[in-house]
Each structure stands twice: as structure tokens, then as C-alpha cells.
Amino acid sequence: AQKVTQAQTEISVVEKEDVTLDCVYETRDTTYYLFWYKQPPSGELVFLIRRNSFDEQNEISGRYSWNFQKSTSSFNFTITASQVVDSAVYFCALSGGGTSYGKLTFGQGTILTVHP
Amino acid sequence: DTAVSQTPKYLVTQMGNDKSIKCEQNLGHDTMYWYKQDSKKFLKIMFSYNNKELIINETVPNRFSPKSPDKAHLNLHINSLELGDSAVYFCASSPYTGGLTDTQYFGPGTRLTVL
């Protein structure tokens, strides 16, 4: 069975602070993909990043960066110099093989509030 | 211009009624999905279709029936609505065959409220 855990239910920061959202996953698959999605207050789900299990290189996109560590089964997401517009629910998700083939298993989500 | 669209955006209905939610994607994707997001924001897959064929059917009551008239459309019909069906329902689509590599793109969601 696959599982994604986002232990931080809610995080509150002040604008310009850096913030890291944790994601820990469990899977028996050797090949799998990890994702982050953002759900702003307007409610839609916005795709942010996809990472495959064979690529442990960290990725940076503007103020966003992702740290994938297979040894600790973690795929953490850092926002540098946070802005009010970053306020949203962030979901980590896992796509694997076997009976989970083709479906996303989501974590519980982390509510990020950035105060001005 | 919209990639994945859903109608209606809001749906308020009485217990026992039958309702449908429509989903369309113009991305040329082969696979479409329905997810349910409960009041605690937890997202769980319900169904997926690849080229009009059902490929994932999670443990969902028989009152929920997906229908895919073509690969660009996946509708969700719900019979005998219950209070517990109140949730946000998201449609998504992905390219290829619904494999683990595919990025899923989501519609705006339909908020269903059963009174």
C-alpha cells in the first residue's frame, strides 16, 4: 500500500520568511513519481512539479525548490521569501505501480498562511 | 482556452435526488479521472477512464456511475444522493494511458452540497 504523510497541518509565516513543507512517503515500488500541487483559496488544484524516483537532483524554480531524498523517503518543498500569494493548501502526491498504477495518492495537505 | 472544465461549479440539492457533473478536457489527453475532496481537504481517487474504458474503480458506492461518451468527456452521475456525498469533486486528465509517469491536470472542481 502507498502512503503520503504531510505532518504539518498548518504553517503560518510572515511575508519574506522562508518556509519548508515536509512530505514523507511509503511505497514498495522501485519506480514511482512524486508530485506537488497547490490549492489556492479559489479552490483549483495547480500542478507544481513532478519528480521520478531515479532522479534525486534538487530542483529550483524561481522562489520554489524541492529536495528529494530517497534514503529518508522525503520530498520536501521550500518557498524562499514567501509572499501573501503563496497562501494555499499544498499537497504532496505519489504515483506508483502495482495495484496503485495510474492513480495519485495524496497527503493530507498543509495549509500555508503568509501574513503581510 | 480552458484545459479541464467542469459544470456546474456549485450544486445544491436535496437528499434522494439524482444529479450529474460534467467534465471536458481540450488537452487531447487519453485518460480522465474523478477525485473526491472531503471536508477535511483529503483527496481520493474514485475512477479513471482511458479512451472511454474504465481502468480504475475504487471502493465507491454503486450510486456513483461514471460515463465517458468520448475521450474528451467524463461525466459523473450520482443516484439517490446522501448527506455524506457532500464534497468537492474534481475531474482530471493526463496524457498517454494513465501510467505512473503521467501528470494529472485538474479541473476547477464542483462543490456538491446535499441538504
Side-chain angles (χ1 to χ4, degrees):
Chain A
Q2 301 195 119
K3 187 177 179 183
V4 177
T5 302
Q6 295 178 252
Q8 304 149 308
T9 307
E10 291 192 53
I11 300 176
S12 182
V13 299
V14 177
E15 218 173 9
K16 297 184 184 176
E17 281 186 39
D18 298 346
V19 57
T20 296
L21 309 180
D22 297 333
C23 173
V24 173
Y25 62 91
E26 296 174 30
T27 180
R28 293 180 181 175
D29 298 324
T30 54
T31 303
Y32 51 89
Y33 278 72
L34 294 160
F35 302 80
W36 276 94
Y37 284 86
K38 173 182 180 180
Q39 187 173 37
S42 50
E44 71 273 24
L45 281 161
V46 179
F47 164 72
L48 295 178
I49 190 171
R50 181 186 79 184
R51 170 68 69 213
N52 78 58
S53 52
F54 296 110
D55 182 1
E56 289 195 65
Q57 277 191 336
N58 290 335
E59 178 148 347
I60 298 174
S61 175
R63 295 184 298 106
Y64 294 172
S65 62
W66 291 269
N67 181 5
F68 175 34
Q69 292 198 338
K70 214 166 175 177
S71 59
T72 56
S73 297
S74 65
F75 186 43
N76 297 337
F77 173 29
T78 296
I79 302 175
T80 302
S82 60
Q83 299 176 1
V84 172
V85 293
D86 295 327
S87 296
V89 184
Y90 291 87
F91 292 95
C92 181
L94 169 68
S95 175
T99 57
S100 301
Y101 195 78
K103 70 180 182 185
L104 287 174
T105 299
F106 283 88
Q108 305 92 314
T110 296
I111 301 171
L112 173 65
T113 304
V114 182
H115 299 281
Chain B
D1 194 39
T2 306
V4 183
S5 59
Q6 295 178 228
T7 53
K9 188 165 174 62
Y10 299 96
L11 186 52
V12 181
T13 188
Q14 299 287 330
M15 258 195 328
N17 284 350
D18 303 338
K19 290 293 178 186
S20 291
I21 306 172
K22 295 185 176 181
C23 177
E24 176 181 0
Q25 54 93 6
N26 62 6
L27 296 168
H29 289 166
D30 292 303
T31 309
M32 296 183 72
Y33 311 78
W34 278 109
Y35 285 82
K36 179 180 180 181
Q37 185 174 43
D38 64 23
S39 58
K40 295 184 179 179
K41 297 283 189 181
F42 186 66
L43 279 152
K44 187 170 165 55
I45 192 166
M46 301 172 70
F47 305 102
S48 79
Y49 269 73
N50 175 44
N51 258 327
K52 303 193 294 178
E53 286 191 30
L54 181 67
I55 54 172
I56 293 176
N57 186 352
E58 289 293 282
T59 309
V60 176
N62 291 338
R63 299 181 294 102
F64 290 80
S65 54
K67 286 187 172 52
S68 182
D70 56 60
K71 73 173 193 176
H73 296 84
L74 180 62
N75 304 324
L76 183 65
H77 189 76
I78 316 169
N79 289 327
S80 303
L81 278 155
E82 300 177 357
L83 292 177
D85 298 331
S86 295
V88 180
Y89 293 85
F90 285 97
C91 176
S93 73
S94 69
Y96 308 116
T97 58
L100 63 90
T101 65
D102 303 331
T103 297
Q104 296 179 24
Y105 296 90
F106 286 79
T110 295
R111 181 175 294 278
L112 171 64
T113 303
V114 183
L115 303 174

